[in-house]
Amino acid sequence: TAGADGAIAGESPQTVAHGADGATVEALPVEGHHFVQWSDGMLTATRTDLNVTGDLAVTAEFAVNTYTLTYTAGAGGALAGVSPQTVSHGGNGLAVTAFAEDWHHFVQWSDGVLTATRTDLNVTADLAVMAEFAMNTHTLNYTAGAGGAILGAAAQTVPYGSGGTAVEAVPEE
């Protein structure tokens, strides 16, 4: 027989002559579950009982699949929340939030999720993602007033804590 969350393929019950072999049966789990063992300890889902010399009643045992959700933080950030998490098939993970360190900002998760806080729902597979961060940048704009010009890059984007390239204010002749 099949326990909860599964079925049997093949003939059951079977009537077998003393010393004869039974027909093959297979334990089939429902979606999101897996075969564990038969109640007599046999670990293969498919079984053919050979040289039968007595009555046999066994039950196929099944269990729900579990998945691991692993969250990591890339350079420039940290995480708040549980990682790794173990979630049953179809279940929901717990919220995890990516926090940027000073002078950085959150960009995205490695699977393209754009929100810093995420809760993975209806989990049906393992997941391993990394929060991606980038250093903050600043824009430097130089303009010349009347009667002058700027030599060099008048608009510059520089990482936090870095300097721009040299510019020179030159008067008109």
Side-chain angles (χ1 to χ4, degrees), residues 27-29 33-38 42-46 59-63:
L28 304 171
H33 292 72
H34 61 276
F35 171 79
V36 176
Q37 68 178 10
W38 292 93
M42 183 177 277
L43 298 175
T44 58
T46 301
T59 301
E61 299 171 4
F62 303 94

Side-chain angles (χ1 to χ4, degrees), residues 14-24 48-56:
Q14 300 177 24
T15 302
V16 180
H18 183 84
D21 299 340
T24 300
T48 304
D49 291 292
L50 307 176
N51 190 26
V52 176
T53 59
D55 291 341
L56 175 69

Side-chain angles (χ1 to χ4, degrees), residues 106-147:
F106 172 78
V107 175
Q108 68 176 12
W109 292 92
S110 58
D111 63 352
V113 172
L114 299 175
T115 57
T117 298
R118 69 183 292 159
T119 304
D120 290 290
L121 306 175
N122 191 27
V123 175
T124 59
D126 291 334
L127 175 72
V129 291
M130 178 180 289
E132 298 171 358
F133 303 91
M135 184 168 279
N136 294 340
T137 59
H138 299 282
T139 302
L140 308 176
N141 288 306
Y142 301 96
T143 56

Side-chain angles (χ1 to χ4, degrees), residues 1-10 25-30 35 38 45 60 62:
T1 60
D5 302 315
I8 300 295
V25 295
E26 182 178 4
L28 304 171
V30 298
F35 171 79
W38 292 93
F62 303 94

